[in-house]
Amino acid sequence: MVIDKVRLGAFLEKLAAEIVAREDWGKVADYIPELAKVDPAQFAVSMVLADGTELNAGATDQRFSIQSVSKVFTLASVLGRQGESVWVRVGREPSGDRFDSILLLEQEKGRPRNPFINAGAIVTTDELLAGRTPREALSEILIFLRDAAEDEDIQIDEKVAASEKRTGFRNAALANYLASFGNLKNPPEMTLGTYFHQCAIEMTTLQLARAGRSIAQLPVSARMLLPERARRICSLMMTCGHYDGSGDFAFRVGLPGKSGVGGGILLIAPKRASIALWSPGLNGYGNSQMGTYAAERIARFTGWSVFG
Ligand code: DON
């Protein structure tokens, strides 16, 4: 099906205007004090299509904290550098628990269910750190994002990283618990510091949609992943990208997505489009409330779905 780009652009404008007029934004993340300061009543969507067309609506030049969306790019970097060996340390199953839960970690002897819950992402960051300094590991993620987005102006917000470091008690618990099972190669504080910085990368929706071209396998992507790797990352985004809300997201949207507590969602229509959504108010799962709503509306409008 050929998509009418003019109609799609008009639809996104209308959707943004409709959302801005609503009042059910959800609540901003307050366990990271810097994020608690953000006004929830904001929305942006950017989309890059397979032919390179870019469509934008809302506050698409506003930078936001990508938080857990970064976990997709850390995983891609680790797989690119080390191949599949990371799967010894982290699984590929949805957890059905909150993103910061410690419950299964005890039962399953320190091997997190997947690389997108916090425990699993701490392991992939630890893997990326192997044999290198935190600065080098963070550079690798930033270089990946800058290359993929073809934009050098992508940085870490040090204030957000410091804010999470001060209050990230659950992540500290998870890192120490992982270390107690021998599933951390570096000192917990080193891995955690790197993880907090990775989560504190800030981007606009346009930058994120451009970076996502690599995951979406768009021919216009400046950084291509192996097709099998991109497909596998998308499978994990579909099954685990929204934590204990992943089933509901798949049901409503039918496309792989990865959320972050900054309110960002990277949504992938494989080989068709890379879509970035941002709205900082969160639903009960800690995923963007209006971002999820917009993803559902976009999937319905375009007919895009990995289920045919
Ligand atoms: O580790 C944390 O709690 C945050 N830096 C990231 C969590 C997150 O984004 C969950 N996503 N919705």
Side-chain angles (χ1 to χ4, degrees):
M1 187 177 75
V2 181
I3 197 92
D4 180 335
K5 288 179 266 185
V6 176
R7 271 189 65 226
L8 180 56
F11 167 76
L12 293 179
E13 289 287 353
K14 228 174 109 195
L15 180 64
E18 182 213 314
I19 288 177
V20 167
R22 288 175 69 134
E23 282 170 9
D24 49 341
W25 294 94
K27 287 201 191 108
V28 290
D30 55 6
Y31 72 100
I32 302 174
E34 270 309 297
L35 297 185
K37 297 180 186 165
V38 178
D39 176 5
Q42 302 186 76
F43 176 77
V45 53
S46 295
M47 193 183 281
V48 186
L49 304 177
D51 66 358
T53 303
E54 296 182 339
L55 302 169
N56 291 288
T60 53
D61 54 359
Q62 178 72 42
R63 288 171 200 271
F64 62 94
S65 196
I66 69 167
Q67 293 294 322
S68 290
V69 182
S70 66
K71 296 169 180 174
V72 173
F73 297 98
T74 312
L75 179 64
S77 298
V78 165
L79 291 171
R81 154 179 280 268
Q82 268 137 254
E84 306 292 317
S85 60
V86 69
W87 303 121
V88 175
R89 301 180 62 193
V90 63
R92 303 190 289 257
E93 295 295 340
S95 73
D97 287 324
R98 282 191 65 77
F99 62 87
D100 56 0
S101 176
I102 201 165
L103 270 175
L104 290 169
L105 211 51
E106 178 170 19
Q107 274 171 28
E108 299 182 356
K109 302 195 171 36
R111 183 172 178 262
R113 275 284 173 103
N114 67 69
F116 294 153
I117 52 171
N118 287 5
I122 291 169
V123 167
T124 39
T125 302
D126 187 64
E127 191 71 16
L128 193 70
L129 264 172
R132 31 239 293 274
T133 64
R135 188 179 290 271
E136 288 167 340
L138 289 166
S139 270
E140 181 158 341
I141 304 171
L142 282 171
I143 288 169
F144 189 109
L145 286 170
R146 289 172 184 159
D147 283 358
E150 294 177 280
D151 190 338
E152 288 302 301
D153 191 15
I154 296 172
Q155 331 285 348
I156 292 170
D157 183 340
E158 289 291 341
K159 266 165 102 181
V160 172
S163 177
E164 185 166 15
K165 190 172 176 204
R166 275 195 298 278
T167 56
F169 304 115
R170 288 197 192 176
N171 283 325
L174 291 171
N176 281 289
Y177 217 59
L178 288 164
S180 80
F181 283 103
N183 198 6
L184 221 55
K185 294 180 178 168
N186 300 284
E189 32 329 323
M190 185 196 271
T191 301
L192 273 180
T194 311
Y195 170 77
F196 292 147
H197 278 81
Q198 155 204 319
C199 289
I201 293 170
E202 53 169 17
M203 294 171 82
T204 65
T205 51
L206 181 56
Q207 288 175 325
L208 184 57
R210 286 179 179 162
R213 296 176 300 189
S214 55
I215 314 288
Q217 298 182 71
L218 300 191
V220 291
S221 175
R223 178 123 183 189
M224 294 302 278
L225 298 182
L226 294 173
E228 183 183 57
R229 189 153 288 155
R231 282 197 297 274
R232 287 178 158 182
I233 291 173
C234 283
S235 302
L236 290 167
M237 290 169 76
M238 180 65 105
T239 52
C240 313
H242 282 71
Y243 315 107
D244 45 341
S246 298
D248 192 52
F249 190 88
F251 182 84
R252 287 171 63 184
V253 182
L255 292 170
K258 181 73 209 81
S259 68
V261 283
I265 296 178
L266 177 62
L267 184 69
I268 301 295
K271 301 195 172 161
R272 291 178 157 147
S274 168
I275 304 158
L277 298 141
W278 172 62
S279 181
L282 308 178
N283 62 21
Y285 301 115
N287 303 318
S288 174
Q289 178 136 305
M290 282 304 122
T292 303
Y293 170 73
E296 186 176 11
R297 292 282 306 276
I298 290 168
R300 198 175 302 151
F301 180 86
T302 55
W304 292 334
S305 166
V306 294
F307 301 110

